Amino acid sequence: ECSAMSMAYLGENFDIHAGGIDHIAVHHTNEIAQSEVASGKQFVNFWVHGNFLVTGKKDLVRMGKSEGNVATIADIEERGFHALDFRYLVLTAHYRSPLTFSWEALKASRQARLALGDYLRIAPKERTLDLQKARLIKFFEDDLHTPKALALLWQLIHTKKASRDLLLFADHILGLSLKLELQKKREAVPVSIKKLVEKRELMRKEKKWAEADILRRELSSKGWRIEDTPKGPKVFPQ
């Protein structure tokens, strides 16, 4: 059915076919054989095989339905994260390499993604030198090496060489919806939200972590995200 659907929507030859590394040996080999025998043409120009998402602190285990350790997007959002936080996490590892999932790693990805948005709002507006764009493109063309592209982007940010134009150019490829950050206005925090934040902080001081998580999810459902900092919690519109 994969060959039939591919040909119906993409033609007898198309550019990129994605899939997991576990599909290389049998499934994709069969696809190539039956498709090329049927058409007499090369089936796919490039194969992009993603490695496994793994979890665990000592012994890493593949995340999957059969292992019973799947974390869904709904699970992520219930904990106050955004689906784009997971997307940023995925971009930090090359697609051919295993990616270790943990809630700590997801928290770091959220902070990095939001920091990109914060910088975008204050970034200089002048157009970026073509040289900087070319350096980014070089990493994207190097087998979609997103970790190197992200590292370069942060290097340019820290050296104050990243303009708004460069960030939006990179985001057009990375797909982190950073442009939406420019459309957000700083909103006054309603009294009801402040009370929830104060209540959650009290729960945290009393080490009532489950209750604090419930309040975080309630804040998220009302359109507010909270960050815990050394100077206390900060709340922002999502």
Side-chain angles (χ1 to χ4, degrees):
E1 74 273 18
C2 291
S3 295
M5 288 188 292
S6 297
M7 289 184 176
Y9 291 103
L10 303 173
E12 294 178 339
N13 167 264
F14 54 96
D15 210 20
I16 299 174
H17 192 312
I21 57 170
D22 51 333
H23 289 159
I24 296 174
V26 177
H27 187 80
H28 288 168
T29 305
N30 286 341
E31 266 194 85
I32 293 169
Q34 63 195 10
S35 299
E36 296 189 354
V37 167
S39 69
K41 300 176 183 178
Q42 180 177 340
F43 181 42
V44 174
N45 297 334
F46 300 97
W47 290 85
V48 178
H49 291 105
N51 212 315
F52 292 132
L53 187 64
V54 296
T55 184
K57 292 185 178 180
K58 292 184 179 180
D59 299 320
L60 296 178
V61 178
R62 182 176 76 92
M63 185 180 283
K65 290 182 180 179
S66 58
E67 283 75 15
N69 60 355
V70 171
T72 66
I73 294 298
D75 295 331
I76 288 171
E77 291 177 339
E78 276 189 16
R79 292 195 178 216
F81 294 100
H82 194 285
L84 289 172
D85 299 330
F86 179 70
R87 182 176 181 85
Y88 188 98
L89 177 62
V90 171
L91 294 170
T92 62
H94 189 261
Y95 74 89
R96 294 187 188 274
S97 302
L99 171 64
T100 303
F101 176 87
S102 70
W103 297 110
E104 292 78 12
L106 191 60
K107 183 177 180 180
S109 293
R110 175 180 64 190
Q111 292 172 339
R113 181 182 70 84
L114 294 175
L116 280 178
D118 290 340
Y119 182 80
L120 180 62
R121 284 191 287 268
I122 63 171
K125 296 181 181 180
E126 67 264 16
R127 294 194 62 79
T128 299
L129 294 175
D130 289 340
L131 175 62
Q132 293 174 352
K133 288 185 178 180
R135 292 173 71 192
L136 276 175
I137 290 172
K138 182 180 179 181
F139 290 131
F140 290 130
E141 290 181 340
D142 180 16
D143 199 18
L144 299 175
H145 214 304
T146 55
K148 288 183 178 179
L150 278 175
L152 174 61
L153 199 59
W154 280 111
Q155 178 190 345
L156 294 172
I157 288 173
H158 291 146
T159 55
K160 303 187 185 306
K161 296 179 181 178
S163 68
R164 181 178 296 182
D165 176 54
L166 180 68
L167 284 167
L168 293 176
F169 169 77
D171 190 50
H172 180 69
I173 301 170
L174 298 172
L176 293 169
S177 298
L178 295 180
K179 194 172 184 178
L180 295 177
E181 296 299 320
L182 292 178
Q183 301 169 3
K184 291 181 180 179
K185 296 179 180 179
R186 293 291 182 184
E187 301 179 27
V189 181
V191 175
S192 60
I193 298 299
K194 289 181 179 178
K195 287 183 178 179
L196 284 175
V197 172
E198 292 170 0
K199 186 177 179 180
R200 178 179 175 273
E201 188 64 9
L202 179 62
M203 294 297 101
R204 283 169 50 81
K205 288 179 179 178
E206 295 178 356
K207 300 189 184 300
K208 296 180 179 178
W209 309 118
E211 290 87 343
D213 284 342
I214 291 172
L215 290 169
R216 176 191 282 278
R217 291 195 290 270
E218 184 176 349
L219 285 164
S220 179
S221 69
K222 294 179 183 294
W224 295 83
R225 62 178 170 84
I226 190 168
E227 287 186 28
D228 298 309
T229 74
K231 296 182 179 180
K234 293 184 179 181
V235 66
F236 306 90
Q238 287 186 347

